[in-house]
Amino acid sequence: MAERGASGSGSSGDSLDKSITLPPDEIFRNLENAKRFAIDIGGSLTKLAYYSTVQHKVARVRSFDYSGKDAEQDHEPPYEISVQEEVTARLHFVKFENTYIEACLDFIKDHLVNTETKVIQATGGGAYKFKDLIEEKLRLRVDKEDVMTCLIKGCNFVLKNIPHEAFVYQKDSDPEFKFQTNHPNIFPYLLVNIGSGVSIVKVETEDRFEWIGGSSIGGGTFWGLGALLTKTKKFDELLHLASKGQHANVDMLVQDVYGGAHQTLGLSGNLIASSFGKSATADREFSKEDMAKSLLHMISNDIGQLACLYAKLHCLDRVYFGGFFIRGHPVTMRTITYSINFFSKGEVQALFLRHEGYLGAIGAFLKGAEQDNPNQYSWGENYAGSSGLMSSSPELCPTQRARSGTFDLLEMDRLERPLVNLPLLLDPSSYVPDTVDLTDDALARKYWLTCFEEALDGVVKRAVASQPGSVDAAERAEKFRQKYWSKLQTLRHQPFAYGTLTVRSLLDTREHCLNEFNFPDPYSKVKQKENGVALKCFPRVIRCLDALGWEERQLALVKGLLAGNVPAAFTASPRFSPGPPHKCALIFADNSGIDVILGVFPFVRELLSRGTEVILACNSGPALNDVTYCESLIVAELARYRGSALREERLLLMQTGSSSPCLDLSRLDKGLAVLVRERGADLVVIEGMGRAVHTNYYAALRCESLKLAVIKNSWLAERLGGRLFSVIFKYEVPAE
Amino acid sequence: MGAWLGRQRWLLRMGAGRLGMATERHGRAADASASSAGEPAPGGPGGRRRELLRRRASSASEPPVGASASASASAEGVRRSRPGSYSGAPSVSRQRVESLRKKRQLFPWFGLDIGGTLVKLVYFEPKDITAEEEEEEVESLKSIRKYLTSNVAYGSTGIRDVHLELKDLTLCGRKGNLHFIRFPTHDMPAFIQMGRDKNFSSLHTVFCATGGGAYKFEQDFLTIGDLQLCKLDELDCLVKGILYIDSVGFNGRSQCYYFENPADAEKCQKLPFDLKNPYPLLLVNIGSGVSILAVYSKDNYKRVTGTSLGGGTFFGLCCLLTGCTTFEEALEMASRGDSTKVDKLVRDIYGGDYERFGLPGWAVASSFGNMMSKEKREAVSKEDLARAMLITITNNIGSIARMCALNENINQVVFVGNFLRINTIAMRLLAYALDYWSKGQLKALFSEHEGYFGAVGALLELLKIP
């Protein structure tokens, strides 16, 4: 409670529980540039949304002006690096308890400078109650938005933009969360919002939805009736009671009616024949816990049954649940899931959302921002700035949960370009980029988390070294260390905090954290140097290759592709035979330096010479020592190879839209996807551990594909049944 | 002879006449502190057995211990084609019945339905007994007949619903009256003991029994009363019973009825309904829990679903919230309460109708939703709570029934079960809700003998009728 001192900015005179010290760089971040606000005030929680811009440093590469200079000079870097400021758009969502609303509004007022915003979109039941307060504090006009419209807009937005947003809850597995891989078609679906009552809405398109039914038996019934029965006032405490109770003491079960015969009849004796049926026939006291549990079962079962009846009537099999009754409570997710499975016999899936609490605020924000067309962009969850799924369940410690839930953040970055599926995916709806699900695989999880912990020192050192001129680099690097370390610790205890935990998500989180502390490209200098060295060798390598016979050359080319990954010899000797040339090859490049220049470029050259067009796709933004799109443009130019191919557009350098060391083929730059379709790409080459092993190892494509990598991790090598520096060379031809 | 059931403190009183059915007699425990008493809505879990057998067969995993769901559910969509499809345990008894039927069934003729809360007993009293027969009638049989027909209450908790008696009925060539008797299931041991005391077993009679209790008490009947029960499927009995009773009418009146203008206290009328085209029919049996059946013909029906929120839930929660001890008392309180103090209505949230979704302001948005607030909790009366409980459970049953009717494409819905006994509030609400939310497509029907159809079905099985 230390952070709740009495010195809250602008609220020092308030009573203790309303005053709160808000660390500005931790909660309401980027307020100074904020524009457009939306607020969703529920029964107990307020969710504030705002749009802001983030200024951060990016490393830019730029060719030297070579006129009058000899580019081949020794000791000269091949290009220059400059650090520039870049402005990107970010959506901020902050969730806090209604108790703090006044302190928060004061804080916002004090930190909001120079905004042109005049209006705030408001939704939720409390929008009415707090209207005057908001108008007075922020001097913004409150525009009230329809609750359900906001909810659905928000739901569509998170389903479209946040991978692993939806999950099923499996009570007996560890962990209990099983995330849904992004479905390209999210419609139609059923949204069951369990607030004080229940609303059942059928959503057919972005803008078309219909209230098809509801029930008055909802969260308010659990709370209200529960408070009457147990004299317990708080919702969370009621859930806590319920988690300790035995409903069979209160409910009349089938075995109570049938006696022992239920077994011989094949009946499940534990089914409830009549909720609270025993309280009607037995004259005795019932424990609060038992009554709360019985009530929870009664309400969850009833909602599940109605949801199934509506799903059946409308032929829908996906039902998303939201509202304060759910709000991430494992107890309610468990009983709702049970009920849906029971009543639908497994035909309907109960799905929950990681950002369920934010739907209203997101929707209200989108309503207000329609002129900015937020839906035309792709957005990505920023792992550095987002709190992750709450996991401390009320059973474990209700007070701790309440405290840790005081402030919860979600940040989403607007991506430069829209992202779409690679058109060559065999089945986009079943494509899962990641090879190993670390949420499922406890052994692998333990290994990788430790691995990333151990590598942290090195990353910090590298970050500091990359900015020798900066006075605060060490300080920022230390902050980065703390942030990433705490993320890793969170993931140790709650592997499901950001969706499915994977090597990719661990890598991406690290990149997000580095960016957060202005280390946009710690490898920029290393890459520059290695590119310089490789460029010098390039002409010699080409001459050697050209001197070889066909088959030898193919082998050498493959060796070259792999050699960039590792300095070890390539021992296996696959046999090559010339087939008809491909029309167009799509190559996903990996590392800068030797890899791309001495490995990929000669390979590309060979393909071009066979008459195959080549699309070389590199990362849009930096990640580790991976070659970026900008770097690829420069080094390709400097290599001066196949200049005519570039000019004639038989070789196209493209960006992937990603800044990850891994590759998600379902979220690729739209321009790339369009080109792939236009050129009729019929070969996909994916190289490197990140792109071909940690991700896409099992990716099924509609055309031929080649996945190659050298296993540079002994644990992984062992897992895959090989040795360190074993080679993955996976050539796949789709079944006819 | 008065102490049929073990307890000695029986008392007969006039029922709570404010419920609009003043002609009826209600048994009621005089002593408020007495454990038992009264009657919650009975009916038991309504024939889950067959569904569950199917469920297991279809490889659905058994629900884990401690987890729950309303017993009912499952096995929707599987039509039960009858007749004579007994399976498993009951088949033995069935054979016994068959062998007994070759002779004329001996008196006494009983049908028994042992539910989760109430036992329903129908007894056929032959009125055409000849002098010769009377001469031959053994003492114990005579004593039973006299005892049952000369009393309207038995022990502290047994009640004969005199107003339901069907007069001059012809059954298996015998003329007589059909009596309807009920008592709480927890007095079952006393009933069995009485059977022993009165030496029932010497009559070589068969007890046809349905409901879960037929299984639960089978062993007690055998070991204590030396009586062999013939166990019958409760849904078979229910369907058989309702079709039969509807066909014989109600002493010249219609068995089936509906409400016109159910929402209007002034204009509301209970009117007879001629169920001349009974099929397809959605049958909603509201006992302790609720079972919902789709009936397509005399021999073809399926269980659609069920819910554990039934009469037992209403009465159980009322006991906890108001301290009431009888079903009649709970209903009486409900009749005086105001549920809008307890429930949060649409207009409480939106100030009026929620036009975006076409929701009227008077609709309940959250049952017991106002009880989230401490001030409002302190401001409500027990009567308000009882009323809200009644409205909550009734609306929910109406809602599930409506969805089932839509899914099954059935327009007439018959509500039966003892939850509806002396419960005009619930019946009118069901009638109104079904009509309103279906925009007049669905019709709610009711039947005079509410909770006795299972017992009647059991009696018909005994006599092999039809």
Side-chain angles (χ1 to χ4, degrees), chain B residues 172-227:
Chain B
C172 279
R174 301 298 302 254
K175 250 184 168 1
N177 297 339
L178 197 57
H179 297 276
F180 297 86
I181 295 159
R182 59 188 152 89
F183 60 91
T185 304
H186 60 68
D187 282 331
M188 206 55 212
F191 178 78
I192 296 170
Q193 188 60 43
M194 183 200 71
R196 181 194 171 100
D197 296 347
K198 292 196 177 296
N199 206 12
F200 263 34
S201 58
S202 67
L203 297 169
H204 305 289
T205 189
V206 173
F207 261 101
C208 272
T210 185
Y215 295 87
K216 185 175 177 179
F217 297 103
E218 183 185 19
Q219 200 56 38
D220 291 349
F221 268 96
L222 197 62
T223 53
I224 300 169
D226 191 25
L227 287 166

Side-chain angles (χ1 to χ4, degrees), chain A residues 146 216 256 258 272 275 338, chain B residues 68 71 216 234 308 354 367 396:
Chain A
D146 176 68
S216 68
D256 297 320
Y258 277 78
I272 305 172
S275 293
Y338 178 86
Chain B
S68 75
K216 185 175 177 179
E234 59 186 284
S308 69
Y354 187 18
S367 296
N396 190 58

Side-chain angles (χ1 to χ4, degrees), chain A residues 252-253 256-257 273-282, chain B residues 36-46 113-120 157 182-188 211-213 216-217 286-289 310-313 315-316 327 418-419:
Chain A
M252 184 188 287
L253 306 185
D256 297 320
V257 180
S274 174
S275 293
F276 285 88
K278 276 184 188 150
S279 58
T281 52
Chain B
S36 66
E39 52 229 47
D113 176 4
I114 311 170
T117 314
L118 275 189
V119 181
K120 281 76 61 178
T157 55
R182 59 188 152 89
F183 60 91
T185 304
H186 60 68
D187 282 331
M188 206 55 212
K216 185 175 177 179
F217 297 103
I286 317 174
S288 311
T313 314
F315 180 54
F327 182 65
N418 270 348
F419 171 67

Side-chain angles (χ1 to χ4, degrees), chain A residues 682-736:
Chain A
D682 51 357
L683 172 69
V684 174
V685 181
I686 306 175
E687 61 145 348
M689 285 252 293
R691 290 175 182 75
V693 180
H694 292 316
T695 52
N696 298 310
Y697 190 72
Y698 301 114
L701 298 172
R702 280 196 302 208
C703 64
E704 288 172 44
S705 64
L706 179 59
K707 297 163 189 169
L708 17 79
V710 176
I711 306 298
K712 288 178 284 185
N713 174 297
S714 55
W715 184 86
L716 188 62
E718 200 174 308
R719 261 256 164 148
L720 295 168
R723 281 172 309 172
L724 187 62
F725 301 127
S726 293
V727 164
I728 300 274
F729 186 91
K730 209 172 174 215
Y731 175 66
E732 289 160 306
V733 181
E736 283 307 317

Side-chain angles (χ1 to χ4, degrees), chain A residues 402-459:
Chain A
R403 200 155 54 232
S404 66
T406 300
F407 286 93
D408 186 87
L409 311 176
L410 166 64
E411 294 183 6
M412 295 187 71
D413 289 322
R414 193 177 79 190
L415 308 176
E416 301 264 320
R417 305 156 72 99
L419 303 180
V420 295
N421 278 316
L422 176 69
L424 297 171
L425 283 176
L426 186 65
D427 177 15
S429 65
S430 69
Y431 169 73
V432 180
D434 305 287
T435 307
V436 181
D437 179 347
L438 301 182
T439 15
D440 266 357
D441 188 336
L443 220 63
R445 177 168 76 235
K446 210 173 154 199
Y447 169 78
W448 284 110
L449 284 169
T450 309
C451 192
F452 277 86
E453 279 171 11
E454 286 170 0
L456 189 51
D457 276 343
V459 178

